[in-house]
Amino acid sequence: MSSSGILALFIVCFCTSGRLWATATQVTYDNRAIIIDGKHRVLVSGSIHYPRSTTQMWPDLMKKSREGGLDAIETYVFWNAHEPARRQYDFSGNLDLVRFLKSIQDEGLYAVLRIGPYVCAEWNYGGFPVWLHNMPGIRMRTDNDVFKNEMQNFTTLIVDMVKRENLFASQGGPVILAQIENEYGDVMSAYGEEGKAYMNWCANMAQSLDIGVPWLMCKQDDAPEPMISTCNGWYCDQYQPRRSNIPKMWTENWTGWFKNWGGKDPHRTAEDLAFAVARFYQLGGTFQNYYMYHGGTNFGRSAGGPYITTSYDYDAPLDEYGNLNQPKWGHLKQLHDLLHSMEDILTTGNVSSVDLGDDSLWGTIYSNEGGSSCFLANVDQGSDKTINFQGINHTVPAWSVSILPDCLNVSYNTAKVSTQTSVMVKKANVAEDEPISRKWSWRPEMDDKAILLGKGDVTVNQILDQKDAANDLSDYLFYMTSVNLKEDDPVWSYNMTLRVKSSGQILHAFVNGELIGSQWSKNGGESFVFEQNVKLNHKKNTISLLSATVGFRNSGANFDLAPSGITGPVELIGYHGDDEVVVKDLSSQKWSYKIGLEGLNQELYSSQSLKWQEDSFPVNRTLTWYKTVFKAPLGTDPVVVDLLGMGKGLAWVNGNNIGRYWPSFIAEGDCNLEPCDYRGSYDSSKCLSNCGHPTQRWYHVPRSFLNDNGDNTLVLFEEFGGNPSSVNFQTIAIGSACISAEENRKIELSCQGRPISAFKFASFGNPQGACGSFVKGYCEGSKDALSVVEKACVGKESCTIDVSEDTFGSTTCGDDVIKTLSVEAIC
């Protein structure tokens, strides 16, 4: 293989399913860039995971991605979703990978296919099907024939499927890059020499599939030829590939962060994210991917972690529902457009660094026969710096990059946001008078006598790991046993407890059919010991322990071996006086196991034939099913259901599982109420909010799940106990839009599909404050700014305003004041 990584070129033109596919595309690379049909490219990509949205959302997500300046969409492939049982495959609905790739192509975008098939992604079990864990002799992600055979089978299945539809670029399709494994370099040392052998096997196996486009191995510095190693992280400007013949690529630029149950809301500022991107391209990067560009929703039981929330919003440029997350989306779009305009010089020009006399200042010049382009970076976390560059003074704010396409004039600075901030609001469902009109019916879960009697589906003389016993068929598994206590049993006492060691998720303990207590971990990753007083009889006593998981671990070395469910021991403790304690270990006696719940097995969430009760309506009752009927909110805005008042459980709308809910889990700790300071390195503990409130109160109900005409059914399975009387549906839309922009630029204001109805504030001069609290400064333009913007914008969905004295009149601000327009529009 030469240093350019040249791959074979195929010329094809044919028709499939009514589509005329384009001539094949040649994808190669050198040490500067990915090369597409002989052209070195600056490529900007964004992650969108098809199972975290719906097929109806895909075209709009692709359109907004392209309009945001993306060249490509990156996605993982989710093995456990596609092969839930061995050799039984599912590519239906939002698992239709081929349809997703064609949606990308229809919008004129490229695709990056991260087959893995280990994905991490805060996805249940890292994307591995749990049946793998239960195969005899298997060891995952290492040089193990059982695992490698299964991995190769699935990887080949995906590659063959994509080939059949001619979706690789070498066939005229959109897929320009593929990935094998994922972040294995982080854990490879834990597997020793077998890990190294496995990594090399992955590379050889992938290359043998002959897909005609380059393969990636992210965070794998020692990836063998011709694999391309890439960087993942908050910042990758300092990353350099170990091999000199591959380009500098960034497969995961984390746009925010995920959220755990009990966790606070993360936020990464638009300024810092743009800074990271600009620094990467300043220092030789030519491909970067936002993880995530649209995070979406963890429908059903797909969330991993454990304890990953149902919302996977990720503070991405497109929010969970597909709305523009402004100003992040717009600020990055401006950067993308500028970088694309500099594509040739960035990927083929000569590069030189400029000594600016300060360790915190970085100057870079790209030049070719056509001219030069420059970057000026100030990485100081607190101080703005004035730089005399080529005879011109430029003030570069702290922790920012200025881009000068002609090396003379600043076209963009990462710290100066001139796109709008959109304030999203939730609006009541006007289709009906809710929640007052809501009528509920209910059913108890615990009416199964088999459980109370301790009879299950499988019986063994030991305590099993939940993955072994349940095979991930349900969150819920009953561990059941019985104990006969005679009066002379040494453990017998009038002061007895039941003690259970659990793996750290959720436990409900029943003795003789009565709930004696529940307990759960605060973070889902630590084991705990449940101990509760218990009254037993001098006869047979039934102990039923209901273990509930909230996603299996998805990352780390040997994550697949992390214990789940009840680990044991399970003990009866008899206290005799002050000093004598007798322990009776029940762990090795006969245990019976029952997977799931009766309501789940009967499919109460979709069945129309089973009867529900309408009288004696209970609240705050554990293990209870609730059902109601509602009208779909009017319009096309995204829909959410407010589950405040409920405890924890699962929710279905018209039989579609919208995910786990847990609004009773409060985000604890302290949040800084001051505005987030973009300056300085970001991590997941910075810029947190929502302390003291439910971790997640609102849950996404995609429009495609709803019947616009007629009734819709909501079914809740309540595990802890809650009151559904306040449950209601709302829509999410932009309520107001704000912009602060310096003079001599044009700004666009948009209500994203609805008209601008009024302006709350407008001032040109030196206005102060932030969106929602703007105030006028000591100088203003001679024209009434409010009248100017009202005339230009009211009644329109969007409008463009020239921020200048020509538009707003001369000011008395003086030459030392940077004149600014601040506006707040009502949508």
Side-chain angles (χ1 to χ4, degrees):
M1 177 68 69
S2 70
S3 63
S4 61
I6 298 295
L7 301 170
L9 171 64
F10 299 88
I11 304 296
V12 293
C13 186
F14 51 91
C15 207
T16 302
S17 301
R19 276 187 177 83
L20 182 65
W21 300 101
T23 302
T25 299
Q26 183 186 46
V27 183
T28 64
Y29 61 84
D30 62 15
N31 63 343
R32 290 291 295 272
I34 295 294
I35 305 168
I36 300 179
D37 283 342
K39 181 176 177 59
H40 287 69
R41 298 297 307 272
V42 164
L43 293 171
V44 182
S45 177
S47 290
I48 299 176
H49 294 158
Y50 52 98
R52 284 175 161 146
S53 53
T54 65
T55 57
Q56 290 78 4
M57 294 172 66
W58 294 345
D60 185 61
L61 293 174
M62 302 310 161
K63 178 175 182 290
K64 289 172 178 174
S65 298
R66 179 183 54 77
E67 291 172 347
L70 296 195
D71 303 288
I73 299 299
E74 186 179 276
T75 187
Y76 282 127
V77 178
F78 298 85
W79 189 357
N80 59 355
H82 291 305
E83 193 175 0
R86 190 168 186 263
R87 304 300 184 264
Q88 297 179 25
Y89 301 107
D90 185 0
F91 290 91
S92 62
N94 67 341
L95 298 180
D96 191 341
L97 174 61
V98 166
R99 180 174 175 180
F100 182 75
L101 294 174
K102 289 180 178 179
S103 295
I104 294 171
Q105 186 176 43
D106 287 345
E107 196 57 45
L109 295 165
Y110 297 122
V112 179
L113 190 62
R114 303 177 74 184
I115 299 175
Y118 166 71
V119 299
C120 183
E122 294 71 59
W123 190 265
N124 190 40
Y125 213 41
F128 284 164
V130 172
W131 55 259
L132 272 178
H133 168 81
N134 293 321
M135 291 188 69
I138 197 166
R139 287 181 296 123
M140 297 191 202
R141 301 185 81 193
T142 190
D143 191 20
N144 173 268
D145 287 342
V146 179
F147 175 72
K148 290 190 299 182
N149 288 339
E150 295 302 319
M151 175 178 168
Q152 183 168 6
N153 179 79
F154 182 75
T155 303
T156 304
L157 174 84
I158 297 301
V159 166
D160 288 348
M161 177 184 297
V162 176
K163 280 185 175 181
R164 279 196 305 272
E165 297 292 333
N166 302 294
L167 292 173
F168 286 110
S170 56
Q171 303 170 294
V175 180
I176 58 170
L177 298 164
Q179 179 181 300
I180 194 69
E181 247 294 339
N182 186 46
E183 297 182 331
Y184 192 65
D186 285 348
V187 300
M188 187 171 71
S189 62
Y191 299 93
E193 289 302 313
E194 290 185 339
K196 179 77 171 178
Y198 165 69
M199 184 270 293
N200 286 318
W201 173 85
C202 287
N204 292 329
M205 184 268 289
Q207 195 64 19
S208 72
L209 296 175
D210 191 26
I211 61 175
V213 300
W215 282 95
L216 309 177
M217 295 187 87
C218 71
K219 301 186 79 172
Q220 193 69 54
D221 287 343
D222 56 350
E225 292 273 9
M227 302 290 116
I228 302 176
S229 177
T230 67
C231 180
N232 290 353
W234 307 112
Y235 308 94
C236 282
D237 50 284
Q238 299 301 311
Y239 167 75
Q240 289 297 332
R242 185 175 295 181
R243 298 204 324 268
S244 61
N245 66 330
I246 60 176
K248 179 174 176 175
M249 297 178 63
W250 190 1
T251 37
E252 289 190 16
N253 177 1
W254 302 328
T255 58
W257 203 237
F258 56 86
K259 189 165 65 169
N260 299 87
W261 295 113
K264 309 171 188 70
D265 287 357
H267 172 58
R268 189 180 188 188
T269 64
E271 296 95 327
D272 179 67
L273 185 55
F275 169 78
V277 175
R279 283 284 288 158
F280 179 72
Y281 286 96
Q282 176 184 6
L283 299 183
T286 53
F287 172 98
Q288 78 93 37
N289 175 76
Y290 295 107
Y291 187 98
M292 300 290 299
Y293 198 73
H294 165 73
T297 305
N298 288 317
F299 297 114
R301 302 171 49 247
S302 61
Y307 274 32
I308 300 297
T309 57
T310 297
S311 171
Y312 198 68
D313 181 86
Y314 220 90
D315 195 27
L318 298 177
D319 71 14
E320 178 179 1
Y321 318 107
N323 297 311
L324 304 186
N325 179 9
Q326 296 278 44
K328 188 172 284 187
W329 182 88
H331 192 46
L332 294 175
K333 169 183 166 56
Q334 293 177 349
L335 176 57
H336 304 156
D337 291 346
L338 182 57
L339 291 171
H340 284 131
S341 74
M342 300 160 58
E343 181 173 71
D344 183 60
I345 201 168
L346 290 179
T347 56
T348 63
N350 297 315
V351 189
S352 59
S353 299
V354 182
D355 185 357
L356 299 174
D358 186 326
D359 289 343
S360 64
L361 299 177
W362 296 60
T364 308
I365 301 175
Y366 287 82
S367 60
N368 59 19
E369 62 277 4
S372 58
S373 297
C374 299
F375 292 79
L376 301 176
N378 176 10
V379 299
D380 192 289
Q381 298 186 18
S383 300
D384 300 349
K385 302 289 179 73
T386 298
I387 302 170
N388 187 278
F389 183 69
Q390 298 188 357
I392 302 174
N393 285 334
H394 299 280
T395 297
V396 183
W399 202 254
S400 77
V401 178
S402 290
I403 303 178
L404 300 75
D406 58 1
C407 286
L408 297 174
N409 300 291
V410 176
S411 291
Y412 182 91
N413 178 270
T414 59
K416 296 182 178 181
V417 179
S418 60
T419 54
Q420 73 180 49
T421 295
S422 297
V423 179
M424 308 305 291
V425 297
K426 297 178 179 68
K427 299 184 178 182
N429 180 10
V430 297
E432 57 184 348
D433 185 15
E434 63 168 10
I436 298 173
S437 64
R438 184 83 63 241
K439 293 182 179 180
W440 290 90
S441 54
W442 70 284
R443 284 176 62 105
E445 167 61 33
M446 290 292 292
D447 60 356
D448 185 357
K449 294 181 180 180
I451 295 174
L452 300 182
L453 294 174
K455 295 179 180 179
D457 303 319
V458 177
T459 301
V460 295
N461 291 332
Q462 69 181 93
I463 292 176
L464 298 177
D465 185 276
Q466 189 155 342
K467 290 191 295 293
D468 297 334
N471 212 29
D472 199 31
L473 297 176
S474 174
D475 282 356
Y476 300 99
L477 177 67
F478 276 98
Y479 294 67
M480 297 172 288
T481 192
S482 61
V483 57
N484 285 289
L485 291 181
K486 297 181 180 179
E487 292 185 15
D488 58 354
D489 194 304
V491 80
W492 174 260
S493 168
Y494 288 102
N495 183 11
M496 300 177 67
T497 63
L498 174 66
R499 181 189 293 168
V500 182
K501 186 176 180 182
S502 176
S503 66
Q505 295 198 29
I506 300 168
L507 173 68
H508 305 283
F510 298 83
V511 173
N512 296 326
E514 297 294 327
L515 177 67
I516 65 167
S518 301
Q519 190 170 331
W520 53 90
S521 170
K522 288 297 183 182
N523 63 17
E526 297 179 357
S527 62
F528 63 84
V529 175
F530 169 91
E531 187 167 2
Q532 196 67 243
N533 289 322
V534 61
K535 293 182 179 180
L536 300 178
N537 305 312
H538 290 306
K539 58 180 181 179
K540 181 180 178 181
N541 297 273
T542 300
I543 298 173
S544 297
L545 306 176
L546 177 58
S547 173
T549 56
V550 191
F552 292 129
R553 187 173 166 184
N554 57 257
S555 64
N558 297 299
F559 76 89
D560 52 296
L561 302 179
S564 60
I566 296 170
T567 54
V570 177
E571 301 166 322
L572 289 176
I573 315 296
Y575 295 92
H576 301 269
D578 295 332
D579 300 322
E580 185 180 0
V581 178
V582 178
V583 178
K584 187 180 185 71
D585 192 340
L586 308 179
S587 306
S588 298
Q589 67 179 46
K590 185 181 294 184
W591 285 88
S592 186
Y593 296 87
K594 184 174 179 62
I595 300 171
L597 303 169
E598 278 305 296
L600 293 173
N601 296 335
Q602 294 174 348
E603 299 183 350
L604 288 180
Y605 47 84
S606 60
S607 174
Q608 302 297 318
S609 60
L610 297 172
K611 292 183 178 180
W612 293 69
Q613 302 178 37
E614 296 185 357
D615 57 348
S616 303
F617 180 75
V619 297
N620 300 319
R621 185 182 188 278
T622 58
L623 304 179
T624 302
W625 291 82
Y626 296 102
K627 183 169 75 169
T628 191
V629 173
F630 66 97
K631 300 292 185 184
L634 304 178
T636 59
D637 292 327
V639 177
V640 292
V641 58
D642 180 2
L643 294 180
L644 188 65
M646 301 304 295
K648 174 195 173 290
L650 294 165
W652 293 262
V653 171
N654 294 330
N656 299 286
N657 191 334
I658 64 171
R660 301 183 182 101
Y661 67 82
W662 202 344
S664 63
F665 210 143
I666 304 301
E668 297 180 350
D670 298 323
C671 292
N672 189 345
L673 300 181
E674 296 298 319
C676 181
D677 189 347
Y678 71 88
R679 297 174 299 180
S681 295
Y682 180 78
D683 61 46
S684 58
S685 64
K686 185 178 181 181
C687 300
L688 299 173
S689 63
N690 199 48
C691 292
H693 299 286
T695 309
Q696 185 177 347
R697 173 178 172 177
W698 290 279
Y699 299 80
H700 184 204
V701 182
R703 282 279 179 182
S704 58
F705 290 2
L706 297 172
N707 303 315
D708 290 334
N709 300 312
D711 290 336
N712 296 270
T713 301
L714 170 67
V715 174
L716 305 174
F717 169 66
E718 175 54 48
E719 183 180 335
F720 289 177
N723 186 348
S725 60
S726 296
V727 168
N728 65 95
F729 290 83
Q730 300 174 5
T731 56
I732 295 181
I734 182 171
S736 59
C738 302
I739 290 183
S740 286
E742 295 178 1
E743 65 178 329
N744 299 322
R745 64 172 59 244
K746 291 185 177 181
I747 60 170
E748 181 179 359
L749 195 66
S750 173
C751 278
Q752 299 174 23
R754 63 186 66 234
I756 298 169
S757 60
F759 280 85
K760 183 179 178 181
F761 181 89
S763 177
F764 175 72
N766 68 332
Q768 306 297 310
C771 185
S773 59
F774 287 131
V775 293
K776 293 183 177 182
Y778 59 78
C779 62
E780 276 199 293
S782 59
K783 299 179 182 178
D784 179 43
L786 192 62
S787 297
V788 172
V789 297
E790 285 176 340
K791 183 177 180 180
C793 300
V794 170
K796 300 177 181 178
E797 184 273 326
S798 64
C799 60
T800 301
I801 302 170
D802 181 18
V803 183
S804 67
E805 289 192 340
D806 289 341
T807 303
F808 294 96
S810 60
T811 73
T812 57
C813 295
D815 294 338
D816 59 335
V817 174
I818 299 176
K819 292 179 280 294
T820 300
L821 171 68
S822 293
V823 300
E824 181 177 357
I826 306 300
C827 296

PDB file of all heavy atoms in Angstrom, residues 84 106 148 167 178 194 233 259 264 272 322 368 374 401 405 425 483 575 579 686 747:
ATOM      1  N   PRO A  84     -31.358  -9.738  18.081  1.00  0.00           N
ATOM      2  CA  PRO A  84     -31.744  -9.918  19.484  1.00  0.00           C
ATOM      3  C   PRO A  84     -31.663 -11.362  19.953  1.00  0.00           C
ATOM      4  O   PRO A  84     -31.468 -11.623  21.136  1.00  0.00           O
ATOM      5  CB  PRO A  84     -33.175  -9.385  19.522  1.00  0.00           C
ATOM      6  CG  PRO A  84     -33.671  -9.508  18.111  1.00  0.00           C
ATOM      7  CD  PRO A  84     -32.477  -9.257  17.253  1.00  0.00           C
ATOM      8  N   ASP A 106     -30.074  10.704  -0.116  1.00  0.00           N
ATOM      9  CA  ASP A 106     -31.105  11.544  -0.730  1.00  0.00           C
ATOM     10  C   ASP A 106     -30.870  13.027  -0.461  1.00  0.00           C
ATOM     11  O   ASP A 106     -31.278  13.882  -1.248  1.00  0.00           O
ATOM     12  CB  ASP A 106     -32.490  11.151  -0.208  1.00  0.00           C
ATOM     13  CG  ASP A 106     -32.973   9.825  -0.776  1.00  0.00           C
ATOM     14  OD1 ASP A 106     -32.387   9.348  -1.766  1.00  0.00           O
ATOM     15  OD2 ASP A 106     -33.929   9.259  -0.210  1.00  0.00           O
ATOM     16  N   LYS A 148     -14.980 -14.270  17.977  1.00  0.00           N
ATOM     17  CA  LYS A 148     -14.593 -13.791  16.648  1.00  0.00           C
ATOM     18  C   LYS A 148     -15.513 -14.340  15.562  1.00  0.00           C
ATOM     19  O   LYS A 148     -15.837 -13.631  14.597  1.00  0.00           O
ATOM     20  CB  LYS A 148     -13.138 -14.160  16.370  1.00  0.00           C
ATOM     21  CG  LYS A 148     -12.133 -13.373  17.207  1.00  0.00           C
ATOM     22  CD  LYS A 148     -10.690 -13.581  16.742  1.00  0.00           C
ATOM     23  CE  LYS A 148     -10.245 -15.004  16.836  1.00  0.00           C
ATOM     24  NZ  LYS A 148      -8.828 -15.167  16.428  1.00  0.00           N
ATOM     25  N   LEU A 167     -24.352   0.719  -1.647  1.00  0.00           N
ATOM     26  CA  LEU A 167     -24.289   1.921  -0.814  1.00  0.00           C
ATOM     27  C   LEU A 167     -22.869   2.327  -0.429  1.00  0.00           C
ATOM     28  O   LEU A 167     -22.681   3.375   0.189  1.00  0.00           O
ATOM     29  CB  LEU A 167     -25.146   1.724   0.436  1.00  0.00           C
ATOM     30  CG  LEU A 167     -26.650   1.647   0.179  1.00  0.00           C
ATOM     31  CD1 LEU A 167     -27.403   1.281   1.452  1.00  0.00           C
ATOM     32  CD2 LEU A 167     -27.161   2.972  -0.386  1.00  0.00           C
ATOM     33  N   ALA A 178     -15.632   3.364   6.759  1.00  0.00           N
ATOM     34  CA  ALA A 178     -16.240   2.392   7.665  1.00  0.00           C
ATOM     35  C   ALA A 178     -15.300   2.201   8.857  1.00  0.00           C
ATOM     36  O   ALA A 178     -14.098   2.480   8.766  1.00  0.00           O
ATOM     37  CB  ALA A 178     -16.491   1.059   6.957  1.00  0.00           C
ATOM     38  N   GLU A 194      -3.267 -11.382  23.896  1.00  0.00           N
ATOM     39  CA  GLU A 194      -4.472 -11.787  23.162  1.00  0.00           C
ATOM     40  C   GLU A 194      -5.227 -10.567  22.644  1.00  0.00           C
ATOM     41  O   GLU A 194      -5.888 -10.634  21.604  1.00  0.00           O
ATOM     42  CB  GLU A 194      -5.370 -12.639  24.053  1.00  0.00           C
ATOM     43  CG  GLU A 194      -4.805 -14.024  24.347  1.00  0.00           C
ATOM     44  CD  GLU A 194      -5.784 -14.879  25.123  1.00  0.00           C
ATOM     45  OE1 GLU A 194      -6.702 -14.314  25.769  1.00  0.00           O
ATOM     46  OE2 GLU A 194      -5.653 -16.114  25.071  1.00  0.00           O
ATOM     47  N   GLY A 233     -12.591  12.743  21.707  1.00  0.00           N
ATOM     48  CA  GLY A 233     -12.415  13.515  22.930  1.00  0.00           C
ATOM     49  C   GLY A 233     -13.006  14.907  22.826  1.00  0.00           C
ATOM     50  O   GLY A 233     -13.602  15.288  21.821  1.00  0.00           O
ATOM     51  N   LYS A 259     -26.529  11.935  30.126  1.00  0.00           N
ATOM     52  CA  LYS A 259     -27.039  12.181  31.477  1.00  0.00           C
ATOM     53  C   LYS A 259     -27.424  10.862  32.132  1.00  0.00           C
ATOM     54  O   LYS A 259     -27.994   9.983  31.493  1.00  0.00           O
ATOM     55  CB  LYS A 259     -28.234  13.131  31.427  1.00  0.00           C
ATOM     56  CG  LYS A 259     -28.683  13.612  32.797  1.00  0.00           C
ATOM     57  CD  LYS A 259     -29.611  14.820  32.712  1.00  0.00           C
ATOM     58  CE  LYS A 259     -30.923  14.522  32.037  1.00  0.00           C
ATOM     59  NZ  LYS A 259     -31.896  15.624  32.200  1.00  0.00           N
ATOM     60  N   LYS A 264     -27.171  15.795  36.762  1.00  0.00           N
ATOM     61  CA  LYS A 264     -27.562  17.148  36.366  1.00  0.00           C
ATOM     62  C   LYS A 264     -27.529  17.283  34.841  1.00  0.00           C
ATOM     63  O   LYS A 264     -27.013  16.414  34.140  1.00  0.00           O
ATOM     64  CB  LYS A 264     -26.617  18.162  37.018  1.00  0.00           C
ATOM     65  CG  LYS A 264     -26.446  17.977  38.519  1.00  0.00           C
ATOM     66  CD  LYS A 264     -25.330  18.866  39.052  1.00  0.00           C
ATOM     67  CE  LYS A 264     -25.011  18.564  40.509  1.00  0.00           C
ATOM     68  NZ  LYS A 264     -24.354  17.238  40.680  1.00  0.00           N
ATOM     69  N   ASP A 272     -17.042  27.266  23.165  1.00  0.00           N
ATOM     70  CA  ASP A 272     -15.990  26.286  23.410  1.00  0.00           C
ATOM     71  C   ASP A 272     -15.961  25.209  22.335  1.00  0.00           C
ATOM     72  O   ASP A 272     -14.881  24.774  21.901  1.00  0.00           O
ATOM     73  CB  ASP A 272     -16.164  25.642  24.784  1.00  0.00           C
ATOM     74  CG  ASP A 272     -15.094  24.604  25.065  1.00  0.00           C
ATOM     75  OD1 ASP A 272     -13.925  25.002  25.196  1.00  0.00           O
ATOM     76  OD2 ASP A 272     -15.421  23.411  25.125  1.00  0.00           O
ATOM     77  N   GLY A 322     -35.288  17.157  17.355  1.00  0.00           N
ATOM     78  CA  GLY A 322     -34.956  17.568  15.999  1.00  0.00           C
ATOM     79  C   GLY A 322     -34.978  19.059  15.777  1.00  0.00           C
ATOM     80  O   GLY A 322     -34.750  19.526  14.654  1.00  0.00           O
ATOM     81  N   ASN A 368      -0.623  29.119  -0.606  1.00  0.00           N
ATOM     82  CA  ASN A 368      -0.349  28.493  -1.902  1.00  0.00           C
ATOM     83  C   ASN A 368      -0.218  29.607  -2.927  1.00  0.00           C
ATOM     84  O   ASN A 368      -0.219  30.801  -2.575  1.00  0.00           O
ATOM     85  CB  ASN A 368      -1.426  27.470  -2.276  1.00  0.00           C
ATOM     86  CG  ASN A 368      -2.817  28.065  -2.358  1.00  0.00           C
ATOM     87  OD1 ASN A 368      -2.978  29.282  -2.476  1.00  0.00           O
ATOM     88  ND2 ASN A 368      -3.840  27.217  -2.306  1.00  0.00           N
ATOM     89  N   CYS A 374      -5.134  32.488   7.430  1.00  0.00           N
ATOM     90  CA  CYS A 374      -4.465  32.474   8.725  1.00  0.00           C
ATOM     91  C   CYS A 374      -5.422  32.177   9.871  1.00  0.00           C
ATOM     92  O   CYS A 374      -6.623  32.485   9.800  1.00  0.00           O
ATOM     93  CB  CYS A 374      -3.788  33.824   8.986  1.00  0.00           C
ATOM     94  SG  CYS A 374      -2.517  34.245   7.784  1.00  0.00           S
ATOM     95  N   VAL A 401     -10.350  31.431  18.806  1.00  0.00           N
ATOM     96  CA  VAL A 401      -9.592  31.410  17.562  1.00  0.00           C
ATOM     97  C   VAL A 401     -10.235  32.398  16.603  1.00  0.00           C
ATOM     98  O   VAL A 401     -11.456  32.377  16.401  1.00  0.00           O
ATOM     99  CB  VAL A 401      -9.584  30.006  16.925  1.00  0.00           C
ATOM    100  CG1 VAL A 401      -8.818  30.017  15.604  1.00  0.00           C
ATOM    101  CG2 VAL A 401      -8.983  28.982  17.873  1.00  0.00           C
ATOM    102  N   PRO A 405      -9.431  34.556   6.438  1.00  0.00           N
ATOM    103  CA  PRO A 405      -9.266  33.845   5.158  1.00  0.00           C
ATOM    104  C   PRO A 405      -8.244  34.497   4.235  1.00  0.00           C
ATOM    105  O   PRO A 405      -7.640  33.810   3.400  1.00  0.00           O
ATOM    106  CB  PRO A 405     -10.671  33.893   4.548  1.00  0.00           C
ATOM    107  CG  PRO A 405     -11.583  34.130   5.702  1.00  0.00           C
ATOM    108  CD  PRO A 405     -10.819  34.954   6.673  1.00  0.00           C
ATOM    109  N   VAL A 425     -40.054  26.609  24.463  1.00  0.00           N
ATOM    110  CA  VAL A 425     -41.085  26.587  25.504  1.00  0.00           C
ATOM    111  C   VAL A 425     -42.007  25.393  25.282  1.00  0.00           C
ATOM    112  O   VAL A 425     -42.152  24.889  24.164  1.00  0.00           O
ATOM    113  CB  VAL A 425     -41.910  27.895  25.519  1.00  0.00           C
ATOM    114  CG1 VAL A 425     -41.035  29.084  25.859  1.00  0.00           C
ATOM    115  CG2 VAL A 425     -42.607  28.113  24.177  1.00  0.00           C
ATOM    116  N   VAL A 483     -38.232 -21.259  52.783  1.00  0.00           N
ATOM    117  CA  VAL A 483     -37.468 -21.746  53.924  1.00  0.00           C
ATOM    118  C   VAL A 483     -38.444 -22.201  55.006  1.00  0.00           C
ATOM    119  O   VAL A 483     -39.415 -21.507  55.328  1.00  0.00           O
ATOM    120  CB  VAL A 483     -36.510 -20.653  54.455  1.00  0.00           C
ATOM    121  CG1 VAL A 483     -37.252 -19.384  54.849  1.00  0.00           C
ATOM    122  CG2 VAL A 483     -35.685 -21.187  55.608  1.00  0.00           C
ATOM    123  N   TYR A 575     -30.985 -12.272  65.594  1.00  0.00           N
ATOM    124  CA  TYR A 575     -30.309 -11.558  66.666  1.00  0.00           C
ATOM    125  C   TYR A 575     -30.816 -12.095  68.007  1.00  0.00           C
ATOM    126  O   TYR A 575     -32.012 -12.021  68.301  1.00  0.00           O
ATOM    127  CB  TYR A 575     -30.573 -10.052  66.556  1.00  0.00           C
ATOM    128  CG  TYR A 575     -29.973  -9.436  65.305  1.00  0.00           C
ATOM    129  CD1 TYR A 575     -30.716  -9.336  64.123  1.00  0.00           C
ATOM    130  CD2 TYR A 575     -28.664  -8.962  65.307  1.00  0.00           C
ATOM    131  CE1 TYR A 575     -30.166  -8.781  62.983  1.00  0.00           C
ATOM    132  CE2 TYR A 575     -28.104  -8.405  64.161  1.00  0.00           C
ATOM    133  CZ  TYR A 575     -28.859  -8.312  63.009  1.00  0.00           C
ATOM    134  OH  TYR A 575     -28.316  -7.765  61.868  1.00  0.00           O
ATOM    135  N   ASP A 579     -25.159  -9.858  71.970  1.00  0.00           N
ATOM    136  CA  ASP A 579     -23.930 -10.317  71.349  1.00  0.00           C
ATOM    137  C   ASP A 579     -24.108 -11.444  70.349  1.00  0.00           C
ATOM    138  O   ASP A 579     -23.305 -11.583  69.427  1.00  0.00           O
ATOM    139  CB  ASP A 579     -22.944 -10.795  72.438  1.00  0.00           C
ATOM    140  CG  ASP A 579     -22.605  -9.682  73.405  1.00  0.00           C
ATOM    141  OD1 ASP A 579     -22.467  -8.532  72.947  1.00  0.00           O
ATOM    142  OD2 ASP A 579     -22.497  -9.964  74.617  1.00  0.00           O
ATOM    143  N   LYS A 686     -18.503  20.525  34.182  1.00  0.00           N
ATOM    144  CA  LYS A 686     -18.579  21.975  34.013  1.00  0.00           C
ATOM    145  C   LYS A 686     -19.937  22.372  33.453  1.00  0.00           C
ATOM    146  O   LYS A 686     -20.511  21.653  32.634  1.00  0.00           O
ATOM    147  CB  LYS A 686     -17.458  22.433  33.080  1.00  0.00           C
ATOM    148  CG  LYS A 686     -17.344  23.941  32.905  1.00  0.00           C
ATOM    149  CD  LYS A 686     -16.171  24.288  31.994  1.00  0.00           C
ATOM    150  CE  LYS A 686     -16.036  25.793  31.828  1.00  0.00           C
ATOM    151  NZ  LYS A 686     -14.904  26.141  30.924  1.00  0.00           N
ATOM    152  N   ILE A 747     -27.343  39.723  10.058  1.00  0.00           N
ATOM    153  CA  ILE A 747     -27.829  38.645  10.914  1.00  0.00           C
ATOM    154  C   ILE A 747     -29.182  38.163  10.416  1.00  0.00           C
ATOM    155  O   ILE A 747     -29.930  38.909   9.775  1.00  0.00           O
ATOM    156  CB  ILE A 747     -27.954  39.101  12.384  1.00  0.00           C
ATOM    157  CG1 ILE A 747     -28.942  40.270  12.502  1.00  0.00           C
ATOM    158  CG2 ILE A 747     -26.594  39.465  12.957  1.00  0.00           C
ATOM    159  CD1 ILE A 747     -29.317  40.630  13.930  1.00  0.00           C
TER     160      ILE A 747
END
